[in-house]
Amino acid sequence: MANKNMQNHSASKTTDPVSITLTDRLFDTLQRAIVEGEIPSGSKISEPELARRHGVSRGSLREAIGRLEARKLVKRKPNLGARVVTLSYEQLIEIFQIREALEGMAARLAAQNMSDQEIEALQALLEAHGEQIEEQHGLAYFQKQGDLDFHYRIVQGSKNRQLIGLLCDDLYHLLRMYRYQFGMRSKRSRQAYDEHHYLLNAIVARDGEMAELLMRQHIRSSRRNVESMLLETF
Amino acid sequence: MANKNMQNHSASKTTDPVSITLTDRLFDTLQRAIVEGEIPSGSKISEPELARRHGVSRGSLREAIGRLEARKLVKRKPNLGARVVTLSYEQLIEIFQIREALEGMAARLAAQNMSDQEIEALQALLEAHGEQIEEQHGLAYFQKQGDLDFHYRIVQGSKNRQLIGLLCDDLYHLLRMYRYQFGMRSKRSRQAYDEHHYLLNAIVARDGEMAELLMRQHIRSSRRNVESMLLETF
DNA sequence: GAACCCAAAAGTGTCGACAGTTTTTATGTA
DNA sequence: TACATAAAAACTGTCGACACTTTTGGGTTC
């Protein structure tokens, strides 16, 4: 059982300017639990129970829930409490439409704004992915982690802070939740890898227009793959 | 001075299922105050003072501030408190880039998904705008309110809930804040009106591709207008 | 047995108080 | 006067308690 009053995490005063607040940690913990399905999608969140389980007051818990709501991982109704968001085929499609628009723009901006070093690093990352695919027929790894890594770097490369926040802080967590809980492994990793290559070439050429086009096509392909995969389930 | 304990807003029990929570109202109030510049951009938010002024406990105020942070209207740092976001030329450009991507997609989807009635209503709205421009040379009205109305309906017409939330609940408030505080009146209202017409025609023809193209061009024009206007100031 | 009503239990909304941190002010020294 | 230092004031983070709302579980009536 967690102890109750630990405002002073007293160890290591030298290298500890983080001063991360209790609510912050709680938020991270809960977000992970929700994304990975540990707290099931659609389930009700009981404030007293969760607060007790994490050894924390309801006030702090409430702030954390508020942030989860801002990221659309939970939905709250006045006097009725909060529920973990329920995943649906329709919502997933909506997310892909948004990604197509937003990441397309990100790719366009990245082609303009990424530094040469960043581009080189991205090339190296992609090479590593290629080897992984050869080596271990690494379908799972590539689709789940590598793909997100690649997209993540493109978004960062856009240098548009608002855009980065929108995608990396908000949307991607929801997307990861779908990946975890719908088990979205794919037989498409080889093709996705190739598409990443085309896109990167456009960025190397600093061709924003082309980069946007390719990114949008890449995400559309990915969406179609998900559609066909899920239509079996639903 | 507001009284302290008014949990029972006892009047009108019959037509009052709203049960809007105190935090909700506070949030609305503060959001308006920030957007309209009543609480100046960049200023620090003192929790004790604001709580006292609104006759509310710090806990409730804190939740409201949390939501304002989610909408990027304030920024919080641990142990240092919250400040109203500082507006900048760069951030405004970033917002226009995001709008171009997101509203472009919204227009595409609206061309597919708007009902015939919604389209008719939108045509009527546009007619009204046209008359207003003739009549009173209504530059101010059109740019500030009418333009947003039009865009708002297109976004609604996309029928993409995530997209609607992203734009209408989050981004538009920040945009309104810039309009208020940068005083963005424009001599471009006639052209903007025409562009709205072209866009609407594409929607009537159910041509999503064209609608996206026109919307993106419309927003780019609007951005260039803002750029040239602000470059005088900065 | 189903529908209704009412008290009890559980849950959410709001508050005031305390703990720890940052900022300000007061004080002493070079 | 300028600067370092320490006390104090102000502020944020967290908690437990109370008020109001919703849900639950019996009991009553038809």
Side-chain angles (χ1 to χ4, degrees):
Chain A
M1 180 166 294
N3 63 350
K4 198 158 76 182
N5 229 340
M6 50 168 295
Q7 209 139 342
N8 56 340
H9 43 115
S10 51
S12 74
K13 229 170 202 165
T14 56
T15 59
D16 209 14
V18 278
S19 174
I20 215 167
T21 187
L22 177 54
T23 301
D24 282 331
R25 281 186 305 238
L26 190 55
F27 168 68
D28 288 338
T29 303
L30 292 180
Q31 173 167 257
R32 200 186 46 71
I34 289 176
V35 165
E36 299 182 2
E38 194 177 313
I39 304 178
S41 147
S43 69
K44 185 168 188 314
I45 292 180
S46 163
E47 293 181 5
E49 186 198 331
L50 257 195
R52 192 160 16 86
R53 175 146 31 154
H54 290 268
V56 120
S57 89
R58 267 186 59 227
S60 303
L61 176 65
R62 262 163 146 279
E63 289 212 21
I65 292 179
R67 285 199 231 169
L68 291 171
E69 186 181 24
R71 295 201 171 172
K72 296 171 207 284
L73 294 176
V74 313
K75 195 156 170 17
R76 216 182 215 165
K77 288 181 185 171
N79 286 320
L80 295 185
R83 307 190 83 91
V84 178
V85 78
T86 60
L87 307 183
S88 73
Y89 178 75
E90 290 76 15
Q91 192 190 28
L92 182 56
I93 299 303
E94 290 184 356
I95 292 175
F96 269 96
Q97 290 171 338
I98 292 176
R99 283 186 66 200
E100 183 183 329
L102 244 31
E103 295 196 34
M105 176 60 76
R108 171 189 291 263
L109 295 173
Q112 299 170 201
N113 299 332
M114 275 179 93
S115 74
D116 292 340
Q117 290 91 327
E118 286 174 310
I119 293 180
E120 284 172 32
L122 194 49
Q123 285 175 311
L125 179 71
L126 203 48
E127 302 253 341
H129 287 168
E131 290 172 17
Q132 228 146 11
I133 289 185
E134 299 292 336
E135 222 167 74
Q136 62 175 22
H137 229 67
L139 305 174
Y141 175 81
F142 179 66
Q143 184 63 5
K144 269 212 151 80
Q145 200 57 43
D147 183 69
L148 254 179
D149 278 0
F150 184 83
H151 286 251
Y152 197 86
R153 294 217 195 177
I154 301 271
V155 173
Q156 298 285 337
S158 77
K159 303 290 166 68
N160 181 322
R161 289 228 158 257
Q162 304 287 314
L163 184 55
I164 294 170
L166 229 50
L167 283 170
C168 299
D169 293 346
D170 294 352
L171 211 57
Y172 280 174
H173 295 286
L174 196 53
L175 185 62
R176 281 198 307 128
M177 187 168 168
Y178 276 94
R179 292 212 168 154
Y180 264 99
Q181 304 199 20
F182 280 15
M184 282 152 67
R185 72 270 164 241
S186 153
K187 299 284 182 283
R188 214 179 69 84
S189 59
R190 177 73 216 186
Q191 191 195 337
Y193 171 74
D194 289 339
E195 289 170 3
H196 284 186
H197 251 299
Y198 304 147
L199 173 53
L200 184 49
N201 285 343
I203 290 178
V204 168
R206 301 290 186 186
D207 185 343
E209 187 80 25
M210 180 61 73
E212 173 162 16
L213 207 83
L214 291 173
M215 177 63 99
R216 290 185 68 153
Q217 217 156 325
H218 172 57
I219 291 179
R220 266 201 295 270
S221 298
S222 176
R223 188 194 66 195
R224 275 192 289 269
N225 175 258
V226 168
E227 282 175 7
S228 70
M229 189 185 317
L230 290 185
L231 279 181
E232 304 166 8
T233 313
F234 283 78
Chain B
M1 178 165 296
N3 64 351
K4 200 158 75 181
N5 228 340
M6 49 167 297
Q7 209 140 340
N8 55 340
H9 42 114
S10 52
S12 76
K13 230 171 200 165
T14 56
T15 59
D16 208 14
V18 280
S19 174
I20 214 166
T21 187
L22 177 53
T23 302
D24 282 331
R25 282 187 305 238
L26 190 56
F27 168 68
D28 287 339
T29 303
L30 292 180
Q31 173 167 258
R32 201 187 46 71
I34 289 176
V35 165
E36 299 181 2
E38 193 178 311
I39 304 178
S41 148
S43 69
K44 184 170 187 314
I45 291 179
S46 163
E47 293 182 5
E49 186 198 331
L50 257 194
R52 190 160 19 84
R53 175 146 32 153
H54 290 268
V56 120
S57 90
R58 267 186 59 228
S60 303
L61 176 65
R62 259 161 149 280
E63 289 212 22
I65 292 179
R67 286 198 230 170
L68 291 171
E69 187 182 23
R71 295 203 172 171
K72 297 171 206 288
L73 294 176
V74 313
K75 195 157 168 17
R76 214 181 216 166
K77 287 181 185 170
N79 286 321
L80 295 184
R83 307 191 82 90
V84 179
V85 77
T86 61
L87 306 183
S88 72
Y89 177 75
E90 290 76 15
Q91 192 190 28
L92 183 56
I93 299 303
E94 291 185 355
I95 291 175
F96 268 96
Q97 290 171 338
I98 292 176
R99 282 187 67 199
E100 183 184 329
L102 244 30
E103 296 196 32
M105 176 59 76
R108 171 189 291 263
L109 295 173
Q112 299 170 200
N113 299 333
M114 275 179 94
S115 73
D116 293 340
Q117 290 92 327
E118 286 174 309
I119 293 180
E120 283 172 32
L122 194 50
Q123 285 176 311
L125 178 72
L126 203 49
E127 301 254 341
H129 287 168
E131 290 171 15
Q132 227 148 10
I133 290 185
E134 298 293 337
E135 221 167 75
Q136 62 173 22
H137 231 66
L139 304 173
Y141 175 82
F142 179 66
Q143 184 63 5
K144 269 212 153 80
Q145 201 56 43
D147 184 67
L148 254 178
D149 278 0
F150 184 83
H151 285 252
Y152 197 86
R153 294 217 195 177
I154 302 271
V155 174
Q156 297 286 337
S158 77
K159 305 290 167 71
N160 181 321
R161 289 229 158 255
Q162 304 287 314
L163 184 56
I164 294 170
L166 228 50
L167 284 170
C168 299
D169 293 346
D170 296 351
L171 210 57
Y172 280 174
H173 295 285
L174 195 53
L175 185 62
R176 282 199 307 131
M177 186 168 169
Y178 276 94
R179 292 213 168 152
Y180 263 99
Q181 305 199 19
F182 280 15
M184 282 151 65
R185 71 272 164 241
S186 153
K187 299 284 183 284
R188 214 178 68 84
S189 59
R190 177 74 216 185
Q191 192 195 336
Y193 171 74
D194 289 340
E195 290 171 2
H196 283 187
H197 250 299
Y198 306 146
L199 174 53
L200 186 48
N201 286 343
I203 290 178
V204 168
R206 301 290 186 185
D207 185 343
E209 187 79 25
M210 180 62 74
E212 173 162 15
L213 207 83
L214 291 173
M215 177 63 99
R216 291 185 67 154
Q217 218 155 326
H218 172 56
I219 291 179
R220 265 200 296 268
S221 298
S222 175
R223 188 194 67 196
R224 275 192 290 269
N225 175 258
V226 167
E227 282 175 6
S228 70
M229 188 185 316
L230 290 184
L231 280 180
E232 304 165 9
T233 313
F234 283 79

